Amino acid sequence: MFRRNLAATAVALAFAGPVPAQDVDLAKIREEMKQMKEADEQRMQVLEKRLKEAEAKAGKAEQSAAKAEAAAAGSASRGGENAFNPAVSLILQGTYVNTSQDPNTFQITGFVPSGGEVGPPKRSFGLGETELTISGNIDPYFRGVAIAALTPENEVEVEEAYFQTLALPLGLGLKGGRFLSGIGYQNEIHQHAWDFQDAPLPYKAFLGGALRQDGVQFRWVAPTPVFLELGAELSSGDQFPGSDQNKNGAGAGTIFGHVGGDVGSSYAWRAGLSYLRTSPKDRAYEDVDSLGSAVTNTFTGKARMWIVDAILKWAPNRNASGTNVKLQGEYFRFKQDGNLTYDDSAGSAVFGSVADSFNTDQSGWYAQGVWQFIPRWRVGYRYDQLRFETVSNGIVNNGLGPTAADFPVLATHSPTRNTGMLDWSPSEFSRLRLQFASDKSRIGVTDNQVFLQYIYSLGAHGGHKF
């Protein structure tokens, strides 16, 4: 509009013909032009304001409609089949095994058998443990996890089945059911996430591979600059070094603490101290006497264990995708005080049932390092050692009949093991591993072992611990 008025004024001036300069009021013309420009600008501002108001009203209407639609959809889903939608995952494992000694005769000489599946897998091709996991939030307050292990023997075992809180204040947490104990470092890590195919010797000898609890666990994470965690557990204590006591109350208790943090931009560490106390009753293991006949030994008393653990990780600028290093180690101290009953009634019946005091003070440790030297490829080495130290058998010491030859499993021996591995992970869902080991768990012999292992993960699987 301003342009049209300006053009009309220009045309009028052009056809007006020559006019004396003194008769032309230039100031008046300029004023009129200024007034027309200001009027046009005001009209534009009014129109722009009306346009913005109209757009805002339209936007609010669209948002209200979208919220109403989402609310309706949410209401429908809560009442439909998708209301319960947990995460499901499956871990497939298998091995090819070559050993110089028969896996069926495996034992850790010098240490009371833990009863766990601690020996090498069967020779040749075989399935490993298949792990089926179902997990999800129950409501805003609780989360549930169930993990079933499908064994190579075609059996189904409940590996873990627990609830845990989501909304407790002050860094507190509660877990109940069956779960891997929080003691040590490796104990809470599932087998498919280990850096080696099998557990270190101290875990095999003192915990049967890993300690699972049927009970409750309390944790507290402190509001401190460094990571500080304290925890305690009460359980039935029916797993080694405990036993099924068939009594009211707790059969075992543990306490643990961990501290950790970062050093610069490339290092992270964690260290911990754990304590386990239990009171096994008639905890049995099978042996043979000096004639090769069957013997059953049972222990009743107290068992205590201390674990010191530490781990150090390095990755340049916390980026572990290219290269990284992990150093890990744990020290175990295990004591037992009570009575041992020797019973050869099912075998030679030379001595029948004989009982006396039985005390042990033994230890073990391992240290390992794993280096990812290029993306997807890792190499690692682990050294394990158990120390026989003190085993006081009153039956033998007091001359009640059976001699040390009638307790071959408890012969004086300090086992060692050297293990090397190389693995390749094409993706985060698959891994192939080649492992060599020189195992001196059995007295007088060395078992040279070769494992070729595959691990495949299907479905949504939660992250593993630090």
Side-chain angles (χ1 to χ4, degrees):
M1 183 178 293
F2 170 73
R3 292 188 180 89
R4 290 198 301 269
N5 292 336
L6 185 60
T9 302
V11 171
L13 289 173
F15 287 93
V19 179
Q22 62 270 18
D23 296 333
V24 180
D25 191 349
L26 297 178
K28 185 178 179 179
I29 295 173
R30 293 190 181 99
E31 182 63 26
E32 290 177 357
M33 294 175 63
K34 179 180 179 183
Q35 290 176 359
M36 286 188 291
K37 181 179 179 181
E38 290 177 351
D40 286 339
E41 289 178 348
Q42 289 176 358
R43 292 190 188 96
M44 289 296 297
Q45 290 175 0
V46 171
L47 291 174
E48 289 176 354
K49 181 178 180 181
R50 290 173 59 187
L51 178 61
K52 290 179 179 179
E53 290 176 352
E55 289 176 343
K57 290 180 180 179
K60 289 181 180 179
E62 291 177 359
Q63 291 178 3
S64 298
K67 289 181 179 179
E69 184 179 353
S75 176
S77 66
R78 285 192 294 270
E81 294 181 352
N82 291 331
F84 179 69
N85 188 24
V88 179
S89 69
L90 186 71
I91 305 296
L92 299 177
Q93 296 188 82
T95 54
Y96 174 80
V97 178
N98 185 298
T99 62
S100 61
Q101 302 294 324
D102 186 356
N104 294 325
T105 63
F106 179 83
Q107 69 173 219
I108 303 177
T109 309
F111 296 78
V112 173
S114 62
E117 297 179 1
V118 298
K122 70 171 187 176
R123 287 166 164 168
S124 189
F125 296 97
L127 282 176
E129 192 171 84
T130 299
E131 183 182 287
L132 177 63
T133 301
I134 302 175
S135 62
N137 290 353
I138 300 168
D139 53 31
Y141 311 101
F142 297 98
R143 174 176 176 80
V145 177
I147 302 176
L150 312 177
T151 70
E153 294 76 27
N154 300 320
E155 298 177 348
V156 179
E157 299 177 353
V158 179
E159 191 162 312
E160 291 192 274
Y162 61 84
F163 71 87
Q164 59 186 149
T165 56
L166 296 173
L168 291 185
L170 305 175
L172 296 172
L174 171 66
K175 180 187 290 187
R178 176 173 297 178
F179 50 86
L180 290 168
S181 173
I183 62 172
Y185 174 74
Q186 182 163 300
N187 195 79
E188 283 190 294
I189 302 176
H190 284 265
Q191 193 265 342
H192 68 269
W194 292 350
D195 292 318
F196 294 83
Q197 190 274 338
D198 55 355
L201 284 177
Y203 272 97
K204 293 181 178 182
F206 301 140
L207 295 174
L211 178 62
R212 290 178 179 83
Q213 307 269 45
D214 286 358
V216 293
Q217 179 192 84
F218 304 90
R219 285 182 188 257
W220 175 60
V221 178
T224 53
V226 297
F227 171 74
L228 175 60
E229 173 192 64
L230 301 177
E233 298 166 345
L234 294 174
S235 71
S236 61
D238 57 356
Q239 183 182 332
F240 190 91
S243 68
D244 186 0
Q245 302 177 40
N246 190 26
K247 70 170 189 177
N248 295 319
T254 69
I255 56 174
F256 55 86
H258 298 108
V259 61
D262 296 329
V263 180
S265 61
S266 301
Y267 292 89
W269 63 277
R270 202 198 83 164
L273 178 64
S274 307
Y275 174 70
L276 164 67
R277 181 183 178 91
T278 185
S279 301
K281 181 180 180 181
D282 296 329
R283 188 191 68 205
Y285 76 91
E286 304 300 322
D287 203 352
V288 295
D289 60 18
S290 57
L291 302 176
S293 299
V295 175
T296 300
N297 295 302
T298 56
F299 173 78
T300 298
K302 297 179 180 179
R304 293 160 292 165
M305 185 183 305
W306 294 262
I307 305 175
V308 179
D309 66 88
I311 180 169
L312 176 66
K313 293 185 177 182
W314 170 82
N317 297 316
R318 297 189 178 92
N319 181 10
S321 60
T323 182
N324 64 80
V325 175
K326 178 165 63 172
L327 302 177
Q328 172 185 331
E330 297 184 70
Y331 172 82
F332 291 67
R333 192 86 198 176
F334 182 51
K335 292 186 177 184
Q336 298 180 101
D337 299 287
N339 289 278
L340 186 70
T341 298
Y342 172 98
D343 187 355
D344 64 1
S345 301
S348 60
V350 175
F351 304 108
S353 180
V354 182
D356 208 323
S357 63
F358 184 77
N359 306 295
T360 69
D361 185 356
Q362 299 177 302
S363 65
W365 64 277
Y366 76 92
Q368 67 182 53
V370 176
W371 174 34
Q372 180 175 299
F373 52 95
I374 57 175
R376 303 180 183 179
W377 288 91
R378 305 189 311 163
V379 63
Y381 170 75
R382 184 181 71 198
Y383 179 76
D384 315 350
Q385 185 174 57
L386 294 172
R387 301 292 297 173
F388 180 82
E389 299 192 24
T390 302
V391 176
S392 178
N393 188 343
I395 295 175
V396 176
N397 298 341
N398 296 324
L400 300 183
T403 66
D406 295 301
F407 296 88
V409 168
L410 298 181
T412 303
H413 181 54
S414 293
T416 61
R417 194 167 191 257
N418 289 275
T419 307
M421 75 85 183
L422 173 70
D423 65 29
W424 174 55
S425 301
S427 72
E428 59 182 309
F429 304 105
S430 60
R431 173 167 291 169
L432 298 174
R433 174 180 291 139
L434 179 62
Q435 178 172 308
F436 303 89
S438 176
D439 190 336
K440 298 182 179 180
S441 296
R442 284 168 275 198
I443 191 169
V445 297
T446 299
D447 188 11
N448 295 312
Q449 305 167 346
V450 180
F451 301 143
L452 180 60
Q453 180 187 23
Y454 66 80
I455 305 171
Y456 296 119
S457 176
L458 292 79
H461 193 82
H464 299 110
K465 66 179 292 184
F466 172 81

